[in-house]
Amino acid sequence: MDRVRIKSISLDTYKGSNITVCGWVKSKRESKNCTFVIINDGSCQSDLQLVVDPSGFSSILPAVTTGASIRASGTVQESLGKGQSFELVVSSLEVLGISDESYPLQKKGHSLEFLRQIAHLRGRTNTFGAVFRVRNVLSRLVHKFFQDRGFIWAHTPLITASDCEGAGEMFRVTTFDLGSVPKTEDGKVDYSQDFFGTSANLTVSGQLEGEVLCSSFSDIYTFGPTFRAENSNTTRHLSEFWMIEPEMAFCDLKGDMKIAEEFVRFLLANVIKEARGELEFLQKFYKDTSIQTLEEISSKDFTRISYTDAIEELKKQPASKFEYKVEWGMDLQSEHERFLTDTVFGGPVIVYDYPKDIKAFYMRNNDDGKTVAAMDVLLPRIGELIGGSQREERVDLLEKRMLDMNMSLKDLYWYLDLRRYGSCPHAGFGLGFERLVQYVTGMTNIRDVIPFPRAPRLIEF
Ligand code: 4AD
Ligand code: MG
């Protein structure tokens, strides 16, 4: 007999039928004539109540303890008790894997900090079950948004020889024996003897390769892991995170902002439809989120403001308001971003045209000579969700910028070739997937929205 997932059981389809279910025991309640076993199989938020006659299963029931995995068959019937509309009256029961009192999820109401220490088991809690199922719904929606618009899902490499963001925050990839690294005559590491014949790293972004592919397919997107070796222990940073990077040929900054806004609004509008039950559950415990807020944000236009005007807005505040002094040319700190979203505009804000000195080499130079066609989408509570730009498509300006930044033209010749053979205006952005999941679920720590978080000194699971 095939196993039925708890998610698919309803009285309409299964009332009176005999089915088999599997799952992990959450609790067992015994009375004289009846034992109730609550199981969950992770397919949905709902548990299933098994009604077991203790006289028929006296040899098996002692091993049916919290955490054990079981298989049960029986008849689906309307439930007489409160809290569920149906239950399974068990005719056969089998323990597949035992569990004992040391099982750490015995009691209710564990802290998120504690659960982080048992990341290998936390998916069995209601909270993490909901968060990771919402993550799955959002992943599906990401693909739906771009696939419905004719974008090609492009797979860009995780191992690269370039540093897209130029911040030098990369993990090295090498097969050298670290105890005896080959050196050149002048004492430097001799990467010519390494696996790739040059130094290699885990990618911080798939953008440069994304630009290559958009130069053949017009509209592409990536959705995959990226890696950053920045030593920041914050609730918004991971060392390994997933990013979605669309890249569009024949598109300028305006078009880029438009699609970024449509994308975020689409995701919010649809996740509240497709994961309503999970979100309602999360909201009971984590007050940072509300379906109503997500709904409002998905239905209103995002505010757009140039970096220069944003600085003017921030300067209206007394200097004591912020830890970091507000000056044209500075990078916006999260306190500034949140002031703009939470206090000034009360919603998402797109800041554009940033000073070129604080942005990456590939961004398109504006005519003022001081700014580049960059944009960041900022969300209340989370801050930066998206970073993007129109790309510099003029080879002379790009080469000049790279030389100014001490970059090698030779190493990125293929990137420059795109500007030599059929160059076109193009633009794209990167959305940090975990920040999106954080925003939607209301989790305050980014480590609670990815099953196996990677951060400085955190790689246990
Ligand atoms: O702003 P970033 O660095 O932009 C890029 O990487 C561009 N190459 C994207 C592009 O134009 N194709 O990163 C994009 C987004 C940020 O807005 C943020 O949401 C997220 O990635 N992000 C992180 N998320 C979690 N942990 C980190 N350490 C992150 N760093 C960036
Ligand atoms: Mg950024």
PDB file of all heavy atoms in Angstrom, residues 188-201:
ATOM      1  N   LYS A 188      56.453  34.781  -3.536  1.00  0.00           N
ATOM      2  CA  LYS A 188      54.993  34.792  -3.559  1.00  0.00           C
ATOM      3  C   LYS A 188      54.454  33.375  -3.821  1.00  0.00           C
ATOM      4  O   LYS A 188      55.190  32.513  -4.304  1.00  0.00           O
ATOM      5  CB  LYS A 188      54.501  35.739  -4.666  1.00  0.00           C
ATOM      6  CG  LYS A 188      54.852  37.182  -4.375  1.00  0.00           C
ATOM      7  CD  LYS A 188      54.056  38.106  -5.265  1.00  0.00           C
ATOM      8  CE  LYS A 188      54.324  39.546  -4.911  1.00  0.00           C
ATOM      9  NZ  LYS A 188      54.640  40.354  -6.075  1.00  0.00           N
ATOM     10  N   VAL A 189      53.177  33.167  -3.500  1.00  0.00           N
ATOM     11  CA  VAL A 189      52.565  31.854  -3.760  1.00  0.00           C
ATOM     12  C   VAL A 189      52.550  31.600  -5.273  1.00  0.00           C
ATOM     13  O   VAL A 189      52.147  32.460  -6.047  1.00  0.00           O
ATOM     14  CB  VAL A 189      51.118  31.810  -3.208  1.00  0.00           C
ATOM     15  CG1 VAL A 189      50.458  30.485  -3.565  1.00  0.00           C
ATOM     16  CG2 VAL A 189      51.118  32.040  -1.706  1.00  0.00           C
ATOM     17  N   ASP A 190      53.018  30.406  -5.674  1.00  0.00           N
ATOM     18  CA  ASP A 190      53.082  30.097  -7.106  1.00  0.00           C
ATOM     19  C   ASP A 190      51.809  29.378  -7.558  1.00  0.00           C
ATOM     20  O   ASP A 190      51.752  28.143  -7.614  1.00  0.00           O
ATOM     21  CB  ASP A 190      54.317  29.224  -7.376  1.00  0.00           C
ATOM     22  CG  ASP A 190      54.496  28.976  -8.869  1.00  0.00           C
ATOM     23  OD1 ASP A 190      53.707  29.544  -9.669  1.00  0.00           O
ATOM     24  OD2 ASP A 190      55.402  28.209  -9.235  1.00  0.00           O
ATOM     25  N   TYR A 191      50.805  30.189  -7.887  1.00  0.00           N
ATOM     26  CA  TYR A 191      49.518  29.604  -8.268  1.00  0.00           C
ATOM     27  C   TYR A 191      49.591  28.847  -9.586  1.00  0.00           C
ATOM     28  O   TYR A 191      48.700  28.056  -9.898  1.00  0.00           O
ATOM     29  CB  TYR A 191      48.436  30.683  -8.347  1.00  0.00           C
ATOM     30  CG  TYR A 191      48.017  31.171  -6.985  1.00  0.00           C
ATOM     31  CD1 TYR A 191      48.333  32.455  -6.552  1.00  0.00           C
ATOM     32  CD2 TYR A 191      47.303  30.333  -6.124  1.00  0.00           C
ATOM     33  CE1 TYR A 191      47.953  32.898  -5.297  1.00  0.00           C
ATOM     34  CE2 TYR A 191      46.920  30.766  -4.870  1.00  0.00           C
ATOM     35  CZ  TYR A 191      47.243  32.052  -4.463  1.00  0.00           C
ATOM     36  OH  TYR A 191      46.865  32.468  -3.220  1.00  0.00           O
ATOM     37  N   SER A 192      50.639  29.072 -10.363  1.00  0.00           N
ATOM     38  CA  SER A 192      50.716  28.346 -11.635  1.00  0.00           C
ATOM     39  C   SER A 192      50.806  26.838 -11.375  1.00  0.00           C
ATOM     40  O   SER A 192      50.499  26.032 -12.248  1.00  0.00           O
ATOM     41  CB  SER A 192      51.916  28.834 -12.457  1.00  0.00           C
ATOM     42  OG  SER A 192      53.114  28.419 -11.839  1.00  0.00           O
ATOM     43  N   GLN A 193      51.200  26.468 -10.164  1.00  0.00           N
ATOM     44  CA  GLN A 193      51.265  25.033  -9.842  1.00  0.00           C
ATOM     45  C   GLN A 193      49.990  24.519  -9.179  1.00  0.00           C
ATOM     46  O   GLN A 193      49.883  23.358  -8.818  1.00  0.00           O
ATOM     47  CB  GLN A 193      52.439  24.771  -8.895  1.00  0.00           C
ATOM     48  CG  GLN A 193      53.796  25.043  -9.522  1.00  0.00           C
ATOM     49  CD  GLN A 193      54.915  24.599  -8.604  1.00  0.00           C
ATOM     50  OE1 GLN A 193      54.901  23.495  -8.070  1.00  0.00           O
ATOM     51  NE2 GLN A 193      55.894  25.469  -8.398  1.00  0.00           N
ATOM     52  N   ASP A 194      49.023  25.409  -8.965  1.00  0.00           N
ATOM     53  CA  ASP A 194      47.790  24.988  -8.305  1.00  0.00           C
ATOM     54  C   ASP A 194      46.844  24.331  -9.318  1.00  0.00           C
ATOM     55  O   ASP A 194      47.086  24.361 -10.529  1.00  0.00           O
ATOM     56  CB  ASP A 194      47.122  26.209  -7.637  1.00  0.00           C
ATOM     57  CG  ASP A 194      46.201  25.797  -6.492  1.00  0.00           C
ATOM     58  OD1 ASP A 194      45.969  24.582  -6.325  1.00  0.00           O
ATOM     59  OD2 ASP A 194      45.717  26.698  -5.776  1.00  0.00           O
ATOM     60  N   PHE A 195      45.764  23.775  -8.815  1.00  0.00           N
ATOM     61  CA  PHE A 195      44.847  22.974  -9.627  1.00  0.00           C
ATOM     62  C   PHE A 195      44.443  23.654 -10.931  1.00  0.00           C
ATOM     63  O   PHE A 195      44.455  23.051 -11.999  1.00  0.00           O
ATOM     64  CB  PHE A 195      43.587  22.657  -8.802  1.00  0.00           C
ATOM     65  CG  PHE A 195      42.682  21.657  -9.437  1.00  0.00           C
ATOM     66  CD1 PHE A 195      42.847  20.291  -9.223  1.00  0.00           C
ATOM     67  CD2 PHE A 195      41.657  22.066 -10.285  1.00  0.00           C
ATOM     68  CE1 PHE A 195      42.019  19.362  -9.825  1.00  0.00           C
ATOM     69  CE2 PHE A 195      40.823  21.152 -10.900  1.00  0.00           C
ATOM     70  CZ  PHE A 195      41.002  19.794 -10.670  1.00  0.00           C
ATOM     71  N   PHE A 196      44.047  24.926 -10.855  1.00  0.00           N
ATOM     72  CA  PHE A 196      43.576  25.631 -12.057  1.00  0.00           C
ATOM     73  C   PHE A 196      44.695  26.401 -12.767  1.00  0.00           C
ATOM     74  O   PHE A 196      44.450  27.104 -13.743  1.00  0.00           O
ATOM     75  CB  PHE A 196      42.441  26.590 -11.690  1.00  0.00           C
ATOM     76  CG  PHE A 196      41.195  25.878 -11.209  1.00  0.00           C
ATOM     77  CD1 PHE A 196      40.850  25.882  -9.871  1.00  0.00           C
ATOM     78  CD2 PHE A 196      40.380  25.183 -12.097  1.00  0.00           C
ATOM     79  CE1 PHE A 196      39.706  25.222  -9.429  1.00  0.00           C
ATOM     80  CE2 PHE A 196      39.240  24.521 -11.660  1.00  0.00           C
ATOM     81  CZ  PHE A 196      38.905  24.535 -10.313  1.00  0.00           C
ATOM     82  N   GLY A 197      45.895  26.329 -12.243  1.00  0.00           N
ATOM     83  CA  GLY A 197      47.008  27.045 -12.853  1.00  0.00           C
ATOM     84  C   GLY A 197      46.961  28.538 -12.570  1.00  0.00           C
ATOM     85  O   GLY A 197      47.722  29.335 -13.135  1.00  0.00           O
ATOM     86  N   THR A 198      46.075  28.933 -11.701  1.00  0.00           N
ATOM     87  CA  THR A 198      45.949  30.341 -11.307  1.00  0.00           C
ATOM     88  C   THR A 198      45.191  30.343  -9.982  1.00  0.00           C
ATOM     89  O   THR A 198      44.681  29.304  -9.563  1.00  0.00           O
ATOM     90  CB  THR A 198      45.193  31.143 -12.386  1.00  0.00           C
ATOM     91  OG1 THR A 198      45.130  32.504 -11.982  1.00  0.00           O
ATOM     92  CG2 THR A 198      43.782  30.632 -12.605  1.00  0.00           C
ATOM     93  N   SER A 199      45.114  31.487  -9.325  1.00  0.00           N
ATOM     94  CA  SER A 199      44.373  31.475  -8.058  1.00  0.00           C
ATOM     95  C   SER A 199      42.880  31.419  -8.350  1.00  0.00           C
ATOM     96  O   SER A 199      42.406  31.962  -9.354  1.00  0.00           O
ATOM     97  CB  SER A 199      44.703  32.717  -7.232  1.00  0.00           C
ATOM     98  OG  SER A 199      44.132  33.849  -7.800  1.00  0.00           O
ATOM     99  N   ALA A 200      42.141  30.728  -7.497  1.00  0.00           N
ATOM    100  CA  ALA A 200      40.709  30.536  -7.723  1.00  0.00           C
ATOM    101  C   ALA A 200      39.961  30.750  -6.419  1.00  0.00           C
ATOM    102  O   ALA A 200      40.527  30.603  -5.333  1.00  0.00           O
ATOM    103  CB  ALA A 200      40.449  29.135  -8.260  1.00  0.00           C
ATOM    104  N   ASN A 201      38.672  31.126  -6.537  1.00  0.00           N
ATOM    105  CA  ASN A 201      37.864  31.363  -5.346  1.00  0.00           C
ATOM    106  C   ASN A 201      36.438  30.888  -5.566  1.00  0.00           C
ATOM    107  O   ASN A 201      36.014  30.609  -6.682  1.00  0.00           O
ATOM    108  CB  ASN A 201      37.760  32.864  -5.010  1.00  0.00           C
ATOM    109  CG  ASN A 201      38.665  33.707  -5.844  1.00  0.00           C
ATOM    110  OD1 ASN A 201      39.851  33.747  -5.589  1.00  0.00           O
ATOM    111  ND2 ASN A 201      38.113  34.344  -6.863  1.00  0.00           N
TER     112      ASN A 201
END
